[in-house]
């Protein structure tokens, strides 16, 4: 079994924790896992991607173009930007709320999320679009967008492991004072679409 | 026990298991998390040093005193540490000494793409290169053994995709390491010409022994597969190659200096077509060619940027992959930006307004070179802002200095700026140096430094007083200003650039991301008052959005720093009400 998950978002959205939870859950389920992160200058306000590769020890940390089974987009433009890595039968979970780049806020490059979302739908075998921030706010903080999206993905059957693995990894990997918030957000994500 | 670990985290674990008791570093992406993770082990003394040269010297001292010591840096940090490096190669070690160096192919967060392997060759220090997190841990442990066995410092080289990738690591036990005895040994540790000449002979003997060792060590291994193709590779390139070629034969090098010449020759004989797959320079390739072996490498693969499985397939196997048509023409560009509430934003606003020449430096504030601030003229290396401004003045005269400032962060100033400031004072310069004192090392993710008053472990420490320091080196004009007090900041800058003597302006306001920095909460624009003059947009805050018909503040991004309110002449920016109210 090989399963490649690409996470795309904007620096500060919590993509690194999402990839750690996915990789740790995969290990828990008995698979090999590898990730690659964007850490450093790009992190604040820039594009960030995390690669999570599950199953095969003989794979590099970077998902080749056209190879990802799942794209988790924290932001519509960032999901659209990364669609080249999605495979023919690839699936998407995308948070629909746009984050304007500073260039757009200066009105030099206006950004309308609608064509991005349309593009994602056209290019994914199955795309779940969700106002992830609304669900995260419901859980108590916009910071929990990452666990909300993992919940949506696992409930849709888009992950090679179950809800229990992720939940136990939230307990192990999230700092104790945020465990409850993240578990709540994760479960709100799970219940979405039901 | 098995654990998912970043490469950097695994290096820290390796140091712990090897019984390291002293660790020193200056933060630098992608190496920072090594020492951050080492600091979590109570058994290890760890420190953020003022710069990489100091950190290596601390580690050398610890090694001579009998401890196992580790020192970590990014590739450009090794340039700073190069002075002690070339000589510790001669002295050798007492306790094991490992130098971690992390290269950044693709320049995710760096100013150049240098290949550190050449340092290993030039300084005659052996170098290991792991290919995943497990090897990060194992190689670091082994490097300590080899350091003591061959009496030399050891390099372990990482690259961004090794340092910042997570994979599984099997944890091991900690070695019980006893401090080695400390003995005076002038011939070994005092590198005056007479002693150094003798030590150079030892260095050459050691390298000969290491060349033999390289042929037999398990660090360099052959994985036989289909012999039509043979690949010589190492580090992250090994992972890419394995994914691209699948079942062929590999010579996977864990020791990249010195190379296993016999092993390479034996491997080459067995395979039909031989390739070297390596990132950046043809370091291995050129040495293989020098052995008289035909090999294909950089005539197919680029010397610029990162490799990837796909790139290798395309360039060597001529495989084209069908890819979904990109949407790049409509996807907005998203350059990294200074955060909402960033103290640098107020300063850049003033520098841009005054149309100054800005001699820049390395840090978050380098982003000030990008639109909309576009207020930085140069960025070369740590500290070059200060000395560079001085050079500009000496080239173009005093009047040019009156429209020039040097800007650099507090940590960068301590790292390498202070020497440039001394130069300005000593050599009769008039430059104005702005130190951005945001109470932390920002860009690498909040590390303490000598100006913050805390150690790496968060313990209180003596704090360097930047005002007194500037005064002590002879700067008589020192001002401390809040960059969010835009009017005052502008007044002080004008005054100091006009002065015909050196000035230091300390732009003091903590990084907006620090936990103790509290603002009053998001602002909003009162559209009844707003005249859309767009003055507030000039500061380039990501939270302020021009929607065409109106200007809006994104309340999710706005932290409420109120810098924009200082630009609004009609007080149209107000505190946002309760969202649910």
């Amino acid at each position: 079994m090989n399963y490649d998950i690409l996470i795309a978002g904007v620096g500060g959205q919590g993509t690194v924790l999402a990839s750690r939870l996915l990789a740790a859950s995969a290990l828990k389920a008995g698979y090999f896992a590898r990730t690659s992160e964007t850490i450093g200058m790009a992190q604040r306000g820039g594009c960030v991607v995390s690669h999570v590769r599950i199953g095969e020890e003989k794979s590099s940390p970077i998902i080749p173009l056209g190879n990802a089974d799942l794209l988790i987009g924290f932001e519509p433009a960032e999901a659209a930007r990364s669609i080249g890595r999605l495979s023919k039968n690839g699936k998407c979970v995308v948070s629909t709320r746009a984050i304007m780049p500073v260039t757009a806020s200066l009105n030099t490059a206006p950004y309308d999320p609608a064509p991005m979302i349309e593009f994602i739908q056209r290019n994914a075998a199955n795309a779940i679009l969700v106002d992830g921030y609304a669900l995260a706010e419901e859980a108590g903080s916009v910071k929990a967008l990452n666990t909300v999206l993992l919940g949506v993905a696992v409930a849709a059957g888009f992950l090679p492991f179950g809800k229990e693995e992720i939940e136990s990894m939230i307990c192990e990997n999230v700092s104790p004072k945020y465990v409850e918030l993240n578990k709540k957000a994760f479960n709100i994500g799970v219940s979405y679409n039901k | 026990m098995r654990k998912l670990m970043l490469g950097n985290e695994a290096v820290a674990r390796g140091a712990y298991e090897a019984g390291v008791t002293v660790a020193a570093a200056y933060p630098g992406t992608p190496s920072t998390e090594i020492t951050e993770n080492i600091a979590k082990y109570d058994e290890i003394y760890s420190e953020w040093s003022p710069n990489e040269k100091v950190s290596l010297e601390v580690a050398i001292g610890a090694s001579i005193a009998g401890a196992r010591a580790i020192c970590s840096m990014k590739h450009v940090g090794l340039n700073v540490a190069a002075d002690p490096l070339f000589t510790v190669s001669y002295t050798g070690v007492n306790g094991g000494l490992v130098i971690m160096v992390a290269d950044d192919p693709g320049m995710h967060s760096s100013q150049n793409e240098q290949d550190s392997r050449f340092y290993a060759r030039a300084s005659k220090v052996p170098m290991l290169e792991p290919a995943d997190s497990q090897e990060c841990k194992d190689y670091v442990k082994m490097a300590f053994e080899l350091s003591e066995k061959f009496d030399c410092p050891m390099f372990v080289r990482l690259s961004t995709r090794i340092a910042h990738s997570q994979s599984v690591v099997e944890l091991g036990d900690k070695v019980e390491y006893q401090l080695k005895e400390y003995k005076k040994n002038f011939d070994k540790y005092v590198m005056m010409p007479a002693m150094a000449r003798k030590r150079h002979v030892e260095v050459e003997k050691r390298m000969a022994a290491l060349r033999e060792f390289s042929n037999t060590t398990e660090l360099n291994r052959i994985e036989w597969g289909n012999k039509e193709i043979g690949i010589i590779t190492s580090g992250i390139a090994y992972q890419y190659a394995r994914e691209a070629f699948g079942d062929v034969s590999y010579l996977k090098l864990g020791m990249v200096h010195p190379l296993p010449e016999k092993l390479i020759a034996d491997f080459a004989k067995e395979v039909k077509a031989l390739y070297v797959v390596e990132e950046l320079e043809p370091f291995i390739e050129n040495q293989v060619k020098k052995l008289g072996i035909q090999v294909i490498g950089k005539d197919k693969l680029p010397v610029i940027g990162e490799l990837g499985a796909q790139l290798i397939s395309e360039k060597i196997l001529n495989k084209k992959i069908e890819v979904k048509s990109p949407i790049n023409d409509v996807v907005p560009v998203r350059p990294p930006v200074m955060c909402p509430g960033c103290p640098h934003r107020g300063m850049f606003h003033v520098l841009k307004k005054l149309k100054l020449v800005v001699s820049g430096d390395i840090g978050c504030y380098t982003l000030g070179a990008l639109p909309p601030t576009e207020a930085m003229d140069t960025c070369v290396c740590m500290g070059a802002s200060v000395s560079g401004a001085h050079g500009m003045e000496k080239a173009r005269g005093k009047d040019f200095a009156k429209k020039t400032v040097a800007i650099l962060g507090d940590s960068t100033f301590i790292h390498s700026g202070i020497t440039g400031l001394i130069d300005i004072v000593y050599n009769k310069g008039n430059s104005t140096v702005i130190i951005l004192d945001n109470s932390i090392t920002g860009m690498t993710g909040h590390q303490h430094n000598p100006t913050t008053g805390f150690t790496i472990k968060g313990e209180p420490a003596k704090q360097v007083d930047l005002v007194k320091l500037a005064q002590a080196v002879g700067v008589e004009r020192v001002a401390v200003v809040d960059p969010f007090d835009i009017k005052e900041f502008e007044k002080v800058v004008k005054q100091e650039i006009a002065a015909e003597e050196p000035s230091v302006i300390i732009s003091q306001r903590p990084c907006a991301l620090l936990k103790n920095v509290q603002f009053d909460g998001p602002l909003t624009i009162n559209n009844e008052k707003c005249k859309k003059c767009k003055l507030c947009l000039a500061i380039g805050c990501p939270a302020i959005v021009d929607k065409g018909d109106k200007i809006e503040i994104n309340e999710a991004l706005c932290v409420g720093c109120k810098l924009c309110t200082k630009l609004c002449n009609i007080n149209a920016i107000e505190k946002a009400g309760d969202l649910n109210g």
Side-chain angles (χ1 to χ4, degrees), chain B residues 498-515:
Chain B
E500 295 194 355
E501 60 178 295
S503 318
V504 166
I505 300 171
I506 297 168
S507 173
Q508 202 167 57
R509 178 170 269 268
C511 174
L513 300 180
L514 285 172
K515 285 197 180 106

Side-chain angles (χ1 to χ4, degrees), chain B residues 167-408:
Chain B
S167 58
V168 186
V169 178
E170 183 72 50
L171 304 185
D173 295 328
K174 182 177 182 295
V175 173
E176 281 315 315
Y177 185 81
Q178 298 298 326
L179 276 186
K180 295 244 165 116
E181 189 192 349
Y182 176 75
K183 279 188 291 204
K184 279 188 197 298
N185 189 344
F186 300 116
D187 284 338
K188 191 165 183 311
Y189 297 122
V190 183
M191 284 303 95
M192 295 162 73
M195 290 82 142
R197 279 182 205 119
K198 284 185 223 154
R199 288 301 304 174
H200 191 178
V201 176
E202 296 303 315
V203 169
E204 296 307 324
K205 276 190 204 160
R206 161 186 98 208
M207 290 315 287
L210 276 156
R211 275 192 287 274
E212 277 311 307
F213 172 79
S214 190
N215 283 313
T216 52
T217 172
E218 287 169 3
L219 288 161
N220 299 321
R221 66 167 191 261
I222 294 176
E223 296 171 7
W224 290 117
N226 184 330
K227 293 187 178 176
E228 291 294 306
I229 292 179
I231 312 275
I232 303 174
T233 185
S234 74
I236 188 65
Y238 164 74
Q239 305 283 10
Y240 295 140
R242 218 166 44 155
E243 188 168 354
F245 290 97
D247 175 35
V248 299
S249 295
Y250 299 90
L251 170 52
K252 195 264 187 200
L253 300 174
M255 181 177 239
V256 291
H257 183 70
L259 288 178
E261 297 184 351
K262 277 184 209 144
L263 192 65
I264 289 171
D266 292 347
F267 181 71
K269 263 184 243 156
E270 296 285 322
V271 296
K272 238 185 188 170
L274 185 65
Y275 296 90
V276 171
V277 177
E278 59 189 322
E279 258 176 354
L280 301 177
E281 297 298 312
F283 178 82
I284 299 170
E285 179 186 342
N286 287 351
Q287 294 182 72
V288 173
K289 282 181 172 162
K290 218 180 133 212
L291 297 173
I293 297 167
Q294 279 212 333
V295 64
I296 301 163
K298 293 296 170 183
D299 29 7
K300 296 261 188 193
L301 296 171
V303 292
I304 297 169
E306 296 185 284
L307 295 181
Q310 217 140 22
L311 181 84
I312 296 167
S313 301
E314 270 175 37
K315 300 283 180 192
I316 296 182
L317 300 170
N318 299 316
K319 274 191 199 162
K320 285 268 174 260
I321 289 126
E322 255 190 71
V323 178
K324 291 178 195 293
S325 57
I327 189 180
N328 288 341
D329 47 335
V330 277
V331 177
V333 291
R334 195 188 296 276
V337 287
M338 286 180 274
C339 307
C342 177
H344 305 328
R345 190 169 279 113
M347 175 203 64
F348 277 118
H349 177 71
V350 171
L351 301 186
K352 189 181 187 185
K353 187 177 166 198
L354 299 177
K355 298 192 173 70
L356 298 180
V357 172
V358 178
S359 180
D361 223 299
I362 310 271
C364 293
Y365 46 87
T366 316
L367 295 170
L370 302 177
T373 38
E374 294 174 298
M376 189 180 288
D377 294 51
T378 62
C379 167
V380 179
C381 66
M382 298 285 285
S385 58
V386 182
S387 13
H390 182 60
M392 284 176 167
E393 178 189 348
K394 294 303 176 190
R396 302 191 75 95
K398 213 189 279 179
D399 288 340
F400 195 77
K402 288 184 179 174
K403 47 184 184 181
T404 304
V405 291
I407 61 163
L408 79 173

